[in-house]
Amino acid sequence: MENFRFNAYTEILFGTGQIEHLSRSLEPYGKNVLLTYGGGSIKKNGIYDKVMELLKDFNVIELDKIEPNPRIESVRKGVKLCKENKIDVILAVGGGSTIDCSKVIAAGNYYEGDPWDIVVNPSLIGEVLPIVTVLTLAATGSEMNKNAVISNMETNEKLGTASTKMIPQTSILNPEYMFTLPAIQTAAGTADIMSHILENYFQKTKGAYVQDKISEGLLQTCIKYCPIAINEPTNYEARANLMWASSLALNGLCGCGKSGSWTCHPIEHELSAYYDITHGVGLAIVTPRWMRYILSDDTVDKFVEYALNVWHLPLSEDKFALANLAIDKTEEFFKSCGIPSTLTELGIDRSKFDLMAEKAVKFGGLQNAYVSLTPEDVKNILIDCL
Amino acid sequence: MENFRFNAYTEILFGTGQIEHLSRSLEPYGKNVLLTYGGGSIKKNGIYDKVMELLKDFNVIELDKIEPNPRIESVRKGVKLCKENKIDVILAVGGGSTIDCSKVIAAGNYYEGDPWDIVVNPSLIGEVLPIVTVLTLAATGSEMNKNAVISNMETNEKLGTASTKMIPQTSILNPEYMFTLPAIQTAAGTADIMSHILENYFQKTKGAYVQDKISEGLLQTCIKYCPIAINEPTNYEARANLMWASSLALNGLCGCGKSGSWTCHPIEHELSAYYDITHGVGLAIVTPRWMRYILSDDTVDKFVEYALNVWHLPLSEDKFALANLAIDKTEEFFKSCGIPSTLTELGIDRSKFDLMAEKAVKFGGLQNAYVSLTPEDVKNILIDCL
């Protein structure tokens, strides 16, 4: 286990009715609230009306239409609104896209230049406005961590930035808010959660046993409850376990004490940057291909652990057979949840693979991943995804 | 899963050399530091000298000799020192006893009456001085939670109190600080960690799957690494995993979304209150007897889960046989770690069992435990421990 700093300071208010604490959560910061949200699903399911009712004593400025892959243009708009209206606190109501966008707005409020600078270079982040979130989708874990991913479609860049100051102060997690979620979003969100865990599970660091056991537990949670949530959208237990798993998958618990670059996320970020596909869908397509590509004498023992402890496959003498079976299970699982299983289905061809592979290695630092990858390797993995 | 509030805001600095960040961790609060510690082991192993060197620019007042079951007299002494010296921050260097005592001192600093009041009645806790800890024993989880347990030997009371304001701001966890720990303390500390997990694992709430999976992972960590740490006291990996497990076992991760009173802790608190025994030793003796006592048609399925997922016992048709085997394993594990397995070995007889059983039920709220217990039940469990 390596040295680490862990600081997931977000206050989580979990469960039905917790929204009633909203105004109390905002009050310490001031009366001027920037309310951020996405395409308007919160207007259909009643969350918007409930929030506005609870905020009747606040001055609420709205930023809506934040994109599923949130764009720097939305950040710029948000920063402008913050500065013009002397915003005290940002209330993000939505999934990871809305929260990520809000984080960079919150940091951008105190940055004099163009906010794209602080996406490219997180060390430029200084003060950050406090952020409160109301989560409506279990996926990114953004509700309890320091990360934000922003896209710049002009330059075809989708980059991550981070600052402990961007960790939300309070996040309200009501599993009922996911009852109306389309099956594909439940599935893609779960694929995202699982990818966050797997990116940390498969790392070179040895002896981080606590982290691996928590990771295995959270993966089992996803595998158990995603199909239930798809078949019974209003199953509270399924939604609750997926929602809490999403926060814990990326608040540092699975990754602390380990090091190394992630692999599937940087590759997927290129897919989203060029084709604007759903992040979780991209991850579900790339992950099993990556697993198969890196399976070797060096990695097989970790895949055996994965097979036994996550998929509960019966112990076998043939380690590679067991590893491959676990990878099959992973692939079949995503498919069974209704996620497209090839890039071809999404209309993506190989025309930009060279460029994407180059950029994934460069921006993702893939030479420092669990298994070091060259642009050639990434291209091969992408071809396997067709 | 029930509604919950989760807020484990402590900044954890984990690993070798993290002590170098000590002064930076204290600085935001001020220059007047109350340094608290126990019997002086930190003077033998060099931690005291290191801390004093790092605090050369601070005004350090010391409170030493904090007891293994910290007493209200030490709290009173500490509060007096805080008030006399206008203390800004408390630095607790030690295990749970030192940290628990420091928490109540920190709260007592702002309380006008006798600090025993705020032990008996946590709602009287108002402001609390900031607390920074340097952990030297993996056991109580106090380094990352709101709880404190204080003994009053005059009244034979050992009671828990709690406030989110008493959560340490920063805790420095260096596994090397446990290299010099006697085997029995490693074992008793691990029994304490396991008990924290088991008290939450065995609860009536259904569907808290994430919490149960994390619990099973942390239990497996204890089972794997405690024997290694006993046999190889300087095994960093073993110490690191036990240390991190201790913090996560009682920071809310295992217990959030569940409800009900604990059982073994209230019973053990009576043993410590009357006989001043090591907390973890008492827990290791009581826990398997309690398990056997409450095993029934109502509880057997949970014990089967425990048998399969924690002890990896082979699936069997006979659920009760499997449950009993898991309880045997639990008992044998504590014994194999060198922990006394009967109260008789500790010189405890049945003379006070009636009184202790009454008090355990009353103060512990055992009617609301996983299996509701009467004083008669508790007495029977204690008799089984002889």
Side-chain angles (χ1 to χ4, degrees), chain A residues 36-284:
Chain A
T36 57
Y37 54 101
S41 63
I42 65 164
K43 289 199 170 162
K44 288 182 209 131
N45 58 23
I47 299 175
Y48 175 84
D49 289 339
K50 181 72 194 176
V51 165
M52 291 308 277
E53 180 200 320
L54 291 166
L55 295 190
K56 59 183 190 301
D57 296 333
F58 292 78
N59 312 315
V60 182
I61 303 294
E62 298 184 38
L63 173 70
D64 67 348
K65 298 194 180 63
I66 294 174
E67 307 81 5
N69 287 310
R71 303 194 183 177
I72 190 63
E73 289 81 4
S74 292
V75 174
R76 290 183 186 126
K77 245 189 257 176
V79 170
K80 193 159 172 278
L81 287 173
C82 284
K83 291 181 175 174
E84 282 171 4
N85 297 282
K86 297 199 169 65
I87 291 297
D88 298 311
V89 52
I90 301 183
L91 172 62
V93 181
S97 307
T98 297
I99 302 173
D100 282 10
C101 186
S102 303
K103 285 176 177 176
V104 184
I105 293 170
N109 180 63
Y110 293 98
Y111 181 72
E112 286 309 310
D114 180 51
W116 184 246
D117 300 347
I118 57 177
V119 176
V120 176
N121 183 357
S123 74
L124 295 174
I125 297 173
E127 284 306 295
V128 177
L129 281 172
I131 300 157
V132 170
T133 87
V134 175
L135 188 66
T136 60
L137 174 63
T140 71
S142 190
E143 64 277 11
M144 202 181 183
N145 71 31
K146 62 185 177 180
N147 308 312
V149 180
I150 302 295
S151 293
N152 187 334
M153 301 310 279
E154 272 174 39
T155 58
N156 289 123
E157 286 176 308
K158 180 176 178 179
L159 298 178
T161 186
S163 162
T164 47
K165 291 185 182 161
M166 299 198 307
I167 298 173
Q169 303 297 322
T170 297
S171 284
I172 294 173
L173 275 59
N174 181 352
E176 293 167 336
Y177 293 165
M178 299 205 296
F179 284 179
T180 54
L181 216 56
I184 184 63
Q185 285 200 40
T186 300
T190 303
D192 194 20
I193 301 171
M194 291 176 72
S195 179
H196 295 153
I197 304 165
L198 292 167
E199 299 268 24
N200 286 313
Y201 189 69
F202 289 95
Q203 283 293 356
K204 283 194 184 112
T205 309
K206 301 273 183 221
Y209 188 85
V210 167
Q211 292 86 333
D212 279 356
K213 289 292 133 184
I214 291 174
S215 298
E216 291 165 359
L218 296 175
L219 286 168
Q220 289 172 78
T221 304
C222 293
I223 293 164
K224 178 181 166 86
Y225 285 110
C226 181
I228 298 174
I230 288 172
N231 291 325
E232 306 165 37
T234 62
N235 184 309
Y236 185 89
E237 179 180 324
R239 295 296 192 184
N241 278 285
L242 289 172
M243 201 168 212
W244 191 215
S246 84
S247 306
L248 300 183
L250 199 51
N251 75 347
L253 277 178
C254 298
C256 65
K258 293 185 155 202
S259 67
S261 301
W262 288 14
T263 307
C264 296
H265 269 70
I267 297 176
E268 197 294 316
H269 283 183
E270 295 307 315
L271 289 167
S272 289
Y274 281 90
Y275 297 98
D276 204 16
I277 66 171
T278 301
H279 178 53
V281 170
L283 290 168

Side-chain angles (χ1 to χ4, degrees), chain A residues 4-6 11-12 14, chain B residues 3-6 11-12 14:
Chain A
F4 64 83
R5 176 173 184 269
F6 178 88
E11 174 195 46
I12 299 288
F14 193 100
Chain B
N3 278 9
F4 65 84
R5 174 173 185 269
F6 178 88
E11 174 196 46
I12 299 289
F14 193 99

Side-chain angles (χ1 to χ4, degrees), chain B residues 233-251:
Chain B
T234 61
N235 185 307
Y236 185 89
E237 179 180 323
R239 296 295 192 184
N241 278 285
L242 289 172
M243 203 169 211
W244 190 216
S246 86
S247 305
L248 300 182
L250 198 53
N251 75 346

Side-chain angles (χ1 to χ4, degrees), chain B residues 19 22-23 26 33-37 42-43 46-63 91 93 134 177:
Chain B
I19 192 79
L22 182 62
S23 63
L26 293 165
V33 178
L34 180 70
L35 170 66
T36 58
Y37 54 101
I42 62 163
K43 289 200 170 164
I47 300 175
Y48 175 85
D49 289 340
K50 181 72 193 172
V51 166
M52 290 309 277
E53 179 200 322
L54 291 166
L55 296 190
K56 59 182 190 301
D57 296 332
F58 291 81
N59 312 315
V60 182
I61 303 294
E62 297 185 39
L63 174 70
L91 172 61
V93 181
V134 175
Y177 292 165

